[in-house]
Amino acid sequence: MTQLDDSYDVVVLGGGAAGLNAALMLARSRRSVAVIDAGAPRNAPAQGVHGLLGREGMPPLELLELGRAEVRGYGGHVVSGEVVSVARAGDTAGADFLVTLADGSTVSARRILVATGLADELPDVPGLREHWGRDVLHCPYCHGWEVRDQRIAVLASSPMSVHQALLFSQLSDDIVYLSHTAELSDEDAEKLVARGIRIVDGQVVEVLGTGRLTGVQLADGSVVERDALVVGPRMNTRATFLTDLGLIPEPHPSGMGDHIPADPMGRTSVPGVWIAGNATDPSAQVGAAAAAGAMAGAQIHAELVMAETAAAVDARRAESSSV
């Protein structure tokens, strides 16, 4: 297994699509870069990655293994580990940040890229988690094709549930909206009915099915037979270890969960700390996360070049003035 050096130009926190693509850009620019990955990818339960040109349907873990090999092929380091804190480096020469891992080891970096993704907080319904990533779904673009023409239910579990139901109605003529514990406005109800979506009232108390999902049971004992269930998990950023730097997760405008804001290039409000992928954009699929990582990696490299150039100019002027 690759061992961490003492210091790097850039330490990337998280080894998903965003982190690995950023590391690839940096390593190809001859930057010393390390990716520290906790090994818990969000899409691990899924059978395949979708919407990614050239890699359609590839198993998520296979895609990550290819990415790790590509980063290592250019001299980048990819290691397993859990980051517990990131702090200013203080007196550490040539470094701006000190990263501490759960095992107590530390590594310094001139720049930090956060790509730790998010964790899905699922509705508290018995049996739901057992089907997550297979026939309990959340994204029509990630998994919709796989459940086309099936009997689909949408569980009202987030501010985006009505929107999800409308999107999935493009994929099947048999969509049921389960109001569960949510209030449904007259305007939203009209939209659902107009799209041919049946509204079923009553709290869902259990997701049914051993192996394959067969339906849901309501509090009155009735069963709604279904082949797939769509939910809206709360999406929580995993980058909670940045609070000492002043980067505190904020509610996402969509209402889907929280995130750490950044500009379109990935710059956070803390100089030297960048972020890409689901940690800042909960809706980003694999392709979008990878693209954001590539952009952030390129911008970090450019920032380092400008800093090094300024230092070289200062050194040259100092040398000239001493002659």
Side-chain angles (χ1 to χ4, degrees), residues 46-109:
Q47 293 183 343
V49 171
H50 299 291
L52 184 62
L53 188 65
R55 298 298 185 193
E56 174 62 29
M58 174 174 284
L61 298 183
E62 183 179 340
L63 179 66
L64 294 182
E65 191 54 45
L66 287 173
R68 295 185 193 108
E70 289 171 351
V71 171
R72 288 169 174 147
Y74 288 102
H77 291 173
V78 182
V79 301
S80 298
E82 180 184 354
V83 174
V84 295
S85 70
V86 180
R88 288 290 178 185
D91 296 331
T92 304
D96 293 288
F97 301 96
L98 189 67
V99 179
T100 301
L101 279 63
D103 63 4
S105 62
T106 61
V107 59
S108 61

Side-chain angles (χ1 to χ4, degrees), residues 167-317:
L167 293 179
F168 271 92
S169 71
Q170 177 66 23
L171 296 157
S172 174
D173 294 330
D174 190 353
I175 305 288
V176 167
Y177 183 86
L178 303 168
S179 63
H180 193 40
T181 58
E183 293 286 338
L184 185 62
S185 70
D186 291 342
E187 181 182 359
D188 283 339
E190 183 180 30
K191 292 177 182 177
L192 295 174
V193 172
R195 289 287 292 188
I197 298 170
R198 181 162 59 97
I199 300 170
V200 175
D201 293 324
Q203 183 176 354
V204 176
V205 296
E206 187 176 2
V207 174
L208 305 175
T210 302
R212 293 294 302 176
L213 184 147
T214 59
V216 299
Q217 183 174 333
L218 305 181
D220 63 6
S222 62
V223 172
V224 181
E225 295 183 350
R226 296 283 96 181
D227 305 307
L229 178 64
V230 177
V231 301
R234 176 177 172 78
M235 301 176 182
N236 300 316
T237 182
R238 291 168 166 163
T240 55
F241 49 79
L242 299 173
T243 54
D244 288 344
L245 291 176
L247 289 174
I248 300 172
E250 299 179 8
H252 192 268
S254 68
M256 294 189 297
D258 58 26
H259 75 311
I260 293 177
D263 73 8
M265 302 296 108
R267 293 181 185 88
T268 71
S269 59
V270 175
V273 179
W274 300 65
I275 193 166
N278 286 150
T280 185
D281 182 3
S283 65
Q285 291 181 258
V286 171
M295 175 63 74
Q299 293 296 316
I300 291 171
H301 170 62
E303 182 179 86
L304 287 170
V305 167
M306 294 303 102
E308 291 158 356
T309 301
V313 168
D314 289 343
R316 185 174 187 276
R317 289 173 178 173

